[in-house]
Amino acid sequence: MTVANPLADATVQAEREALTAALLQAAAHLAQGQDAEGILRPFCEALVAASRHIRLAWMWLGAPDTTIIRPAYVVGPAHEYAQALVLGADEATRSLSPGLRALANGRPVMATVRSDPTFAPWRAEALRHGLEVSVSFSFGEANDNQRGLVAIYADQADYFTRLGLNPFVAFQHLAQVALTQAALRERLNTLATLDSLTGLLNRGAMQAALEGHHAQAQRQRQAYCLLLLDIDRFKLINDGYGHVVGDNVIRDVGKVLQEMLRPEDRVGRWGGEEFLCLLPGTDCATGNRVAQDLRARIMDHTFPAGTVRTARATVSLGLACFPTDGRNIEELLNHADMGLYEAKRDGRNRVARASDRGRSLFATAQQLEAALTSGQVRPAYQPIIALRDGHIMAKEALARIITPEGVLETEHFIEAADRFQWLHRLDHDMIGQVIEHCAAERKARRPRIAYFVNVSIDLLHHAERVQDLLDRITRTTMPCCTDTDAEKPLVIEITERQFLGDFDAVRRTLAPFLAFGIRLALDDFGSGYSSFRYLTELPFAFVKLDRGLVKRVRTAQGRRILRGLQDLAGDLGFRTIAEGVEDEDCADALAAIGIDWAQGHYFAVPRFEDTHETG
């Protein structure tokens, strides 16, 4: 009869309690693990720290179909054994590996070093490090993107038999739950960084990737390129084939970019039909070749457009290179945007890098932004004269930038304002100043004249700025007008080009201004986009004749056209205003035809008016 050894039982119990306490402590930190490695490492460390008999613990993470395993993290006195360990390298002994068997069947696999035949390939080296027994635990399911393995080694052959595997299996289950949660968090984080349509990085994630690489490129003094790509005439694709086909075109362009770019490159959907590509370690010449290859590939690509139809698309690309085109991200993105703008302007389906003109435009845009912020944008007023008697009937407010070097006229910065989508800021600032000027003139009981000011479609798309202007008119100009003032002093000028988009939307946006009694002027009439529909569907009070048409008053044909427009104006009840009158002969010829009003340097140049001196 075998007599139980109470001392031995007490030692085993103490060992089991120590391991259980260590595992519980490790389990308490499971939720803090941000990834699989962060979860499994504490498991290995806790076991080695809890018992002097556990000589080694190592972990591995990898693909579920792996056939070769090298420990990724090793801890314990016998760590040198695991650092040289490779499982599955020898195909003949691959099936013997306890670790690979644990991964295959999902259950713990225990192997005794001296007697278990499955340990034969590693026996001598294991015994040299004092290892007598191992147990391997797998984590994750076979269909998971990542599997895990933890192997524990003890210096007593019956160590796991005497203690039992229950504490380890319990921890394995807890760790599995934590790993599942970590994988879910990682999946959610990934989804938050991806564009739902293309699966590419979204703008926020692409910006973060760009910022990270830019910092690295600065430290290592490495070149890189940015490609800003836009699908040409995408609105025509959407309108002609439908939004489903439009989405498919965006998706397919994204696939082409992924297929053609290198693994280390980054590509994201920058917004709408725009994509941004980051090419690390790439100089300008190489970046241009890559851009040309992408352009050619997309041009040759056939996009499905239904069961029997296909669509074609081209792209334009703007190229910017670090550090040549900019030292910071903002400068590089602006240069890429400017290159894209020039590619579009020069005919589309091409690659462009910002030219000297483009760089100058960018510098002007920076100057305009600073002027808007500091209040250096001011209106200069040019009189509009009645050709019949020479009286001043109105004034047009023209934007000017005041600089220490002098005054910049509108022609110097209007293209930059348009390109960088700051027209709404410029218009809002100008109209606000004109409203205040009108109110001051009325309060001072000056002669009542109209004040013309240009409005862009860009401003009309910013409802909050439109509402602010209407509020200003209510507070300032309206109180200075009497009930008999049917015509308010402010006149809004809209160019014909503004209507090339959504005519009805423009009309709806203008409605609040019209309700206040503010009049409309159709600017640049006769510049090439003329449509009499505008005159019949909006209550224009004035039509401003384009200066190119006005110059033709010196020809018989030009006079006949202008006389016909004047007759039409009389029938429809609006006044004509000739722009760009530069000499007396032109003014006399216009007056003879019957044109109502005129403006130009012949009568007066634009000048600033200090409204503070009018009170």
Side-chain angles (χ1 to χ4, degrees), residues 358-405:
R359 296 170 195 273
S360 175
L361 197 61
F362 175 60
T364 302
Q366 291 179 310
Q367 186 179 30
L368 173 60
E369 183 181 30
L372 288 168
T373 302
S374 61
Q376 293 175 295
V377 176
R378 288 186 56 195
Y381 295 92
Q382 184 175 41
I384 299 175
I385 308 298
L387 287 171
R388 183 182 65 255
D389 55 20
H391 288 161
I392 296 177
M393 307 303 296
K395 294 180 181 180
E396 180 178 0
L398 302 168
R400 299 290 187 263
I401 294 179
I402 310 298
T403 73
E405 293 77 25

Short mmCIF file of all heavy atoms in Angstrom, two decimals, residues 358-405:
data_model
loop_
_atom_site.label_atom_id
_atom_site.label_comp_id
_atom_site.label_asym_id
_atom_site.label_seq_id
_atom_site.Cartn_x
_atom_site.Cartn_y
_atom_site.Cartn_z
N GLY A 358 1.95 78.95 -61.52
CA GLY A 358 1.17 78.34 -60.45
C GLY A 358 1.71 78.68 -59.08
O GLY A 358 0.95 78.94 -58.14
N ARG A 359 3.03 78.66 -58.95
CA ARG A 359 3.64 79.02 -57.67
C ARG A 359 3.33 80.48 -57.32
O ARG A 359 3.09 80.83 -56.16
CB ARG A 359 5.15 78.80 -57.73
CG ARG A 359 5.53 77.34 -57.94
CD ARG A 359 7.03 77.21 -58.23
NE ARG A 359 7.33 75.90 -58.76
CZ ARG A 359 7.60 74.83 -58.03
NH1 ARG A 359 7.61 74.94 -56.73
NH2 ARG A 359 7.87 73.67 -58.59
N SER A 360 3.35 81.33 -58.36
CA SER A 360 3.01 82.74 -58.13
C SER A 360 1.57 82.88 -57.69
O SER A 360 1.25 83.68 -56.81
CB SER A 360 3.25 83.54 -59.43
OG SER A 360 2.83 84.87 -59.27
N LEU A 361 0.69 82.06 -58.28
CA LEU A 361 -0.72 82.09 -57.89
C LEU A 361 -0.89 81.67 -56.45
O LEU A 361 -1.70 82.23 -55.70
CB LEU A 361 -1.52 81.17 -58.83
CG LEU A 361 -3.03 81.36 -58.86
CD1 LEU A 361 -3.40 82.75 -59.32
CD2 LEU A 361 -3.66 80.31 -59.76
N PHE A 362 -0.13 80.67 -56.04
CA PHE A 362 -0.19 80.21 -54.65
C PHE A 362 0.28 81.32 -53.71
O PHE A 362 -0.32 81.56 -52.65
CB PHE A 362 0.67 78.96 -54.48
CG PHE A 362 0.77 78.47 -53.07
CD1 PHE A 362 -0.36 78.09 -52.35
CD2 PHE A 362 2.00 78.40 -52.43
CE1 PHE A 362 -0.27 77.64 -51.05
CE2 PHE A 362 2.10 77.96 -51.13
CZ PHE A 362 0.97 77.57 -50.44
N ALA A 363 1.36 82.00 -54.07
CA ALA A 363 1.86 83.11 -53.24
C ALA A 363 0.82 84.22 -53.15
O ALA A 363 0.61 84.81 -52.09
CB ALA A 363 3.17 83.64 -53.81
N THR A 364 0.13 84.50 -54.27
CA THR A 364 -0.92 85.51 -54.26
C THR A 364 -2.07 85.09 -53.36
O THR A 364 -2.66 85.92 -52.65
CB THR A 364 -1.44 85.76 -55.69
OG1 THR A 364 -0.35 86.17 -56.52
CG2 THR A 364 -2.52 86.82 -55.70
N ALA A 365 -2.40 83.80 -53.40
CA ALA A 365 -3.47 83.31 -52.54
C ALA A 365 -3.12 83.50 -51.07
O ALA A 365 -3.98 83.87 -50.25
CB ALA A 365 -3.73 81.83 -52.84
N GLN A 366 -1.87 83.25 -50.71
CA GLN A 366 -1.45 83.47 -49.33
C GLN A 366 -1.55 84.95 -48.96
O GLN A 366 -1.96 85.31 -47.85
CB GLN A 366 -0.01 82.98 -49.15
CG GLN A 366 0.14 81.47 -49.22
CD GLN A 366 1.57 81.03 -49.04
OE1 GLN A 366 2.48 81.55 -49.70
NE2 GLN A 366 1.81 80.08 -48.15
N GLN A 367 -1.20 85.81 -49.91
CA GLN A 367 -1.29 87.24 -49.68
C GLN A 367 -2.75 87.67 -49.49
O GLN A 367 -3.07 88.49 -48.61
CB GLN A 367 -0.67 88.00 -50.85
CG GLN A 367 -0.57 89.51 -50.67
CD GLN A 367 0.09 90.17 -51.86
OE1 GLN A 367 -0.01 89.70 -52.99
NE2 GLN A 367 0.78 91.27 -51.61
N LEU A 368 -3.65 87.09 -50.29
CA LEU A 368 -5.07 87.42 -50.17
C LEU A 368 -5.62 86.96 -48.82
O LEU A 368 -6.38 87.70 -48.17
CB LEU A 368 -5.84 86.76 -51.31
CG LEU A 368 -7.37 86.86 -51.23
CD1 LEU A 368 -7.82 88.31 -51.22
CD2 LEU A 368 -8.02 86.10 -52.39
N GLU A 369 -5.25 85.78 -48.42
CA GLU A 369 -5.74 85.27 -47.12
C GLU A 369 -5.30 86.19 -46.00
O GLU A 369 -6.08 86.53 -45.10
CB GLU A 369 -5.25 83.85 -46.88
CG GLU A 369 -5.79 83.26 -45.58
CD GLU A 369 -5.29 81.86 -45.33
OE1 GLU A 369 -4.17 81.55 -45.77
OE2 GLU A 369 -6.01 81.08 -44.69
N ALA A 370 -4.03 86.61 -46.03
CA ALA A 370 -3.53 87.51 -44.99
C ALA A 370 -4.27 88.85 -45.03
O ALA A 370 -4.60 89.42 -43.98
CB ALA A 370 -2.03 87.72 -45.18
N ALA A 371 -4.57 89.33 -46.24
CA ALA A 371 -5.27 90.62 -46.37
C ALA A 371 -6.69 90.52 -45.84
O ALA A 371 -7.19 91.44 -45.18
CB ALA A 371 -5.28 91.04 -47.83
N LEU A 372 -7.37 89.40 -46.10
CA LEU A 372 -8.73 89.22 -45.59
C LEU A 372 -8.73 89.15 -44.07
O LEU A 372 -9.63 89.67 -43.41
CB LEU A 372 -9.35 87.95 -46.18
CG LEU A 372 -9.74 88.00 -47.66
CD1 LEU A 372 -10.05 86.62 -48.19
CD2 LEU A 372 -10.94 88.93 -47.85
N THR A 373 -7.71 88.50 -43.52
CA THR A 373 -7.64 88.35 -42.06
C THR A 373 -7.33 89.68 -41.38
O THR A 373 -7.86 89.97 -40.31
CB THR A 373 -6.56 87.32 -41.71
OG1 THR A 373 -6.87 86.07 -42.34
CG2 THR A 373 -6.48 87.11 -40.20
N SER A 374 -6.50 90.50 -42.02
CA SER A 374 -6.04 91.75 -41.39
C SER A 374 -6.86 92.97 -41.80
O SER A 374 -6.54 94.09 -41.39
CB SER A 374 -4.57 91.99 -41.73
OG SER A 374 -4.39 92.13 -43.13
N GLY A 375 -7.88 92.79 -42.61
CA GLY A 375 -8.72 93.92 -43.02
C GLY A 375 -8.09 94.80 -44.07
O GLY A 375 -8.41 96.00 -44.16
N GLN A 376 -7.18 94.27 -44.88
CA GLN A 376 -6.52 95.06 -45.92
C GLN A 376 -7.27 95.06 -47.24
O GLN A 376 -6.84 95.70 -48.19
CB GLN A 376 -5.10 94.53 -46.15
CG GLN A 376 -4.16 94.73 -44.98
CD GLN A 376 -2.81 94.08 -45.23
OE1 GLN A 376 -2.69 92.86 -45.34
NE2 GLN A 376 -1.79 94.91 -45.36
N VAL A 377 -8.38 94.33 -47.32
CA VAL A 377 -9.21 94.35 -48.52
C VAL A 377 -10.24 95.48 -48.37
O VAL A 377 -11.00 95.50 -47.40
CB VAL A 377 -9.92 93.01 -48.74
CG1 VAL A 377 -10.84 93.09 -49.95
CG2 VAL A 377 -8.90 91.89 -48.93
N ARG A 378 -10.24 96.38 -49.33
CA ARG A 378 -11.16 97.52 -49.26
C ARG A 378 -11.78 97.78 -50.62
O ARG A 378 -11.15 97.50 -51.67
CB ARG A 378 -10.43 98.78 -48.79
CG ARG A 378 -10.04 98.77 -47.32
CD ARG A 378 -9.46 100.12 -46.94
NE ARG A 378 -10.40 101.20 -47.25
CZ ARG A 378 -10.05 102.49 -47.30
NH1 ARG A 378 -8.79 102.85 -47.05
NH2 ARG A 378 -10.94 103.42 -47.59
N PRO A 379 -13.00 98.32 -50.65
CA PRO A 379 -13.62 98.65 -51.93
C PRO A 379 -13.17 100.01 -52.45
O PRO A 379 -13.08 100.98 -51.70
CB PRO A 379 -15.12 98.67 -51.59
CG PRO A 379 -15.18 99.04 -50.14
CD PRO A 379 -13.93 98.49 -49.51
N ALA A 380 -12.84 100.04 -53.74
CA ALA A 380 -12.64 101.32 -54.44
C ALA A 380 -13.86 101.51 -55.34
O ALA A 380 -14.36 100.55 -55.94
CB ALA A 380 -11.37 101.29 -55.27
N TYR A 381 -14.37 102.74 -55.40
CA TYR A 381 -15.65 102.99 -56.07
C TYR A 381 -15.41 103.72 -57.40
O TYR A 381 -14.75 104.76 -57.45
CB TYR A 381 -16.56 103.82 -55.18
CG TYR A 381 -16.97 103.09 -53.91
CD1 TYR A 381 -16.23 103.23 -52.73
CD2 TYR A 381 -18.08 102.26 -53.90
CE1 TYR A 381 -16.60 102.57 -51.58
CE2 TYR A 381 -18.47 101.59 -52.74
CZ TYR A 381 -17.72 101.75 -51.59
OH TYR A 381 -18.09 101.07 -50.44
N GLN A 382 -15.97 103.16 -58.47
CA GLN A 382 -15.89 103.78 -59.79
C GLN A 382 -17.28 104.29 -60.17
O GLN A 382 -18.25 103.53 -60.19
CB GLN A 382 -15.40 102.80 -60.85
CG GLN A 382 -15.23 103.45 -62.22
CD GLN A 382 -14.62 102.50 -63.23
OE1 GLN A 382 -14.99 101.32 -63.27
NE2 GLN A 382 -13.69 103.00 -64.04
N PRO A 383 -17.39 105.58 -60.51
CA PRO A 383 -18.69 106.14 -60.87
C PRO A 383 -19.26 105.52 -62.14
O PRO A 383 -18.53 105.14 -63.05
CB PRO A 383 -18.40 107.63 -61.08
CG PRO A 383 -17.14 107.88 -60.30
CD PRO A 383 -16.34 106.62 -60.42
N ILE A 384 -20.59 105.43 -62.18
CA ILE A 384 -21.34 105.02 -63.37
C ILE A 384 -22.16 106.23 -63.80
O ILE A 384 -22.95 106.78 -63.03
CB ILE A 384 -22.25 103.81 -63.06
CG1 ILE A 384 -21.38 102.61 -62.61
CG2 ILE A 384 -23.08 103.44 -64.28
CD1 ILE A 384 -22.18 101.40 -62.18
N ILE A 385 -21.94 106.68 -65.03
CA ILE A 385 -22.43 107.97 -65.51
C ILE A 385 -23.64 107.79 -66.43
O ILE A 385 -23.66 106.86 -67.26
CB ILE A 385 -21.31 108.71 -66.28
CG1 ILE A 385 -20.03 108.78 -65.43
CG2 ILE A 385 -21.77 110.09 -66.73
CD1 ILE A 385 -20.20 109.54 -64.14
N ALA A 386 -24.62 108.71 -66.32
CA ALA A 386 -25.72 108.76 -67.29
C ALA A 386 -25.20 109.43 -68.55
O ALA A 386 -24.73 110.58 -68.51
CB ALA A 386 -26.90 109.53 -66.71
N LEU A 387 -25.21 108.70 -69.66
CA LEU A 387 -24.66 109.24 -70.91
C LEU A 387 -25.47 110.45 -71.41
O LEU A 387 -24.94 111.30 -72.13
CB LEU A 387 -24.63 108.15 -71.98
CG LEU A 387 -23.55 107.08 -71.78
CD1 LEU A 387 -23.75 105.94 -72.76
CD2 LEU A 387 -22.16 107.68 -71.94
N ARG A 388 -26.73 110.55 -71.01
CA ARG A 388 -27.57 111.64 -71.49
C ARG A 388 -27.12 112.99 -70.95
O ARG A 388 -27.07 113.98 -71.68
CB ARG A 388 -29.03 111.38 -71.10
CG ARG A 388 -30.03 112.44 -71.62
CD ARG A 388 -31.44 112.15 -71.16
NE ARG A 388 -31.57 112.26 -69.72
CZ ARG A 388 -31.68 111.24 -68.87
NH1 ARG A 388 -31.65 109.99 -69.35
NH2 ARG A 388 -31.81 111.43 -67.58
N ASP A 389 -26.75 113.04 -69.63
CA ASP A 389 -26.43 114.35 -69.03
C ASP A 389 -25.14 114.35 -68.21
O ASP A 389 -24.76 115.39 -67.66
CB ASP A 389 -27.59 114.83 -68.16
CG ASP A 389 -27.98 113.82 -67.10
OD1 ASP A 389 -27.14 112.93 -66.77
OD2 ASP A 389 -29.12 113.88 -66.58
N GLY A 390 -24.46 113.20 -68.10
CA GLY A 390 -23.19 113.16 -67.40
C GLY A 390 -23.29 113.09 -65.88
O GLY A 390 -22.27 113.17 -65.19
N HIS A 391 -24.50 112.95 -65.35
CA HIS A 391 -24.65 112.85 -63.90
C HIS A 391 -24.21 111.48 -63.39
O HIS A 391 -24.37 110.46 -64.08
CB HIS A 391 -26.11 113.10 -63.50
CG HIS A 391 -26.52 114.52 -63.65
ND1 HIS A 391 -27.84 114.92 -63.71
CD2 HIS A 391 -25.79 115.66 -63.79
CE1 HIS A 391 -27.90 116.23 -63.86
NE2 HIS A 391 -26.65 116.70 -63.90
N ILE A 392 -23.68 111.45 -62.15
CA ILE A 392 -23.31 110.18 -61.51
C ILE A 392 -24.59 109.52 -61.01
O ILE A 392 -25.29 110.05 -60.13
CB ILE A 392 -22.33 110.40 -60.35
CG1 ILE A 392 -21.01 110.97 -60.87
CG2 ILE A 392 -22.07 109.08 -59.61
CD1 ILE A 392 -20.00 111.30 -59.78
N MET A 393 -24.90 108.35 -61.54
CA MET A 393 -26.12 107.63 -61.17
C MET A 393 -25.84 106.48 -60.20
O MET A 393 -26.74 106.05 -59.47
CB MET A 393 -26.79 107.05 -62.42
CG MET A 393 -27.03 108.10 -63.51
SD MET A 393 -28.03 109.50 -62.90
CE MET A 393 -29.57 108.68 -62.52
N ALA A 394 -24.63 105.98 -60.23
CA ALA A 394 -24.30 104.83 -59.39
C ALA A 394 -22.79 104.74 -59.27
O ALA A 394 -22.03 105.48 -59.92
CB ALA A 394 -24.88 103.54 -59.97
N LYS A 395 -22.34 103.80 -58.42
CA LYS A 395 -20.91 103.50 -58.30
C LYS A 395 -20.76 101.99 -58.16
O LYS A 395 -21.59 101.33 -57.54
CB LYS A 395 -20.31 104.20 -57.08
CG LYS A 395 -20.30 105.72 -57.18
CD LYS A 395 -19.69 106.35 -55.94
CE LYS A 395 -19.71 107.89 -56.04
NZ LYS A 395 -19.12 108.52 -54.83
N GLU A 396 -19.68 101.47 -58.76
CA GLU A 396 -19.39 100.05 -58.60
C GLU A 396 -18.23 99.88 -57.62
O GLU A 396 -17.21 100.55 -57.73
CB GLU A 396 -19.02 99.39 -59.92
CG GLU A 396 -18.72 97.90 -59.75
CD GLU A 396 -18.40 97.18 -61.04
OE1 GLU A 396 -18.40 97.83 -62.11
OE2 GLU A 396 -18.14 95.96 -60.97
N ALA A 397 -18.43 98.99 -56.67
CA ALA A 397 -17.39 98.68 -55.68
C ALA A 397 -16.46 97.61 -56.25
O ALA A 397 -16.91 96.52 -56.62
CB ALA A 397 -18.01 98.20 -54.39
N LEU A 398 -15.18 97.93 -56.32
CA LEU A 398 -14.17 97.02 -56.86
C LEU A 398 -13.15 96.70 -55.77
O LEU A 398 -12.63 97.61 -55.12
CB LEU A 398 -13.48 97.66 -58.06
CG LEU A 398 -14.44 98.05 -59.22
CD1 LEU A 398 -13.70 98.93 -60.22
CD2 LEU A 398 -14.99 96.81 -59.88
N ALA A 399 -12.87 95.41 -55.58
CA ALA A 399 -12.00 94.98 -54.49
C ALA A 399 -10.56 95.41 -54.76
O ALA A 399 -10.05 95.27 -55.87
CB ALA A 399 -12.08 93.47 -54.30
N ARG A 400 -9.91 95.88 -53.71
CA ARG A 400 -8.49 96.25 -53.75
C ARG A 400 -7.82 95.75 -52.48
O ARG A 400 -8.44 95.69 -51.41
CB ARG A 400 -8.32 97.77 -53.84
CG ARG A 400 -8.95 98.41 -55.09
CD ARG A 400 -8.16 98.03 -56.32
NE ARG A 400 -8.62 98.75 -57.51
CZ ARG A 400 -9.47 98.23 -58.40
NH1 ARG A 400 -9.96 97.01 -58.21
NH2 ARG A 400 -9.83 98.92 -59.47
N ILE A 401 -6.54 95.39 -52.59
CA ILE A 401 -5.74 95.01 -51.42
C ILE A 401 -4.75 96.13 -51.16
O ILE A 401 -3.99 96.53 -52.04
CB ILE A 401 -5.00 93.68 -51.63
CG1 ILE A 401 -5.99 92.52 -51.75
CG2 ILE A 401 -4.04 93.41 -50.47
CD1 ILE A 401 -5.33 91.17 -51.98
N ILE A 402 -4.75 96.64 -49.94
CA ILE A 402 -3.82 97.70 -49.54
C ILE A 402 -2.57 97.04 -48.98
O ILE A 402 -2.62 96.28 -48.00
CB ILE A 402 -4.45 98.60 -48.46
CG1 ILE A 402 -5.85 99.06 -48.88
CG2 ILE A 402 -3.55 99.79 -48.17
CD1 ILE A 402 -5.87 99.88 -50.14
N THR A 403 -1.43 97.31 -49.59
CA THR A 403 -0.15 96.76 -49.12
C THR A 403 0.82 97.92 -48.89
O THR A 403 0.63 99.02 -49.41
CB THR A 403 0.45 95.78 -50.15
OG1 THR A 403 0.94 96.54 -51.26
CG2 THR A 403 -0.58 94.78 -50.63
N PRO A 404 1.89 97.68 -48.12
CA PRO A 404 2.90 98.73 -47.92
C PRO A 404 3.52 99.19 -49.23
O PRO A 404 3.97 100.33 -49.35
CB PRO A 404 3.94 98.06 -47.02
CG PRO A 404 3.20 96.98 -46.31
CD PRO A 404 2.17 96.49 -47.29
N GLU A 405 3.54 98.29 -50.24
CA GLU A 405 4.14 98.64 -51.53
C GLU A 405 3.17 99.35 -52.46
O GLU A 405 3.58 99.89 -53.49
CB GLU A 405 4.67 97.37 -52.22
CG GLU A 405 5.84 96.71 -51.51
CD GLU A 405 5.40 95.93 -50.28
OE1 GLU A 405 4.22 95.51 -50.24
OE2 GLU A 405 6.21 95.76 -49.37
#
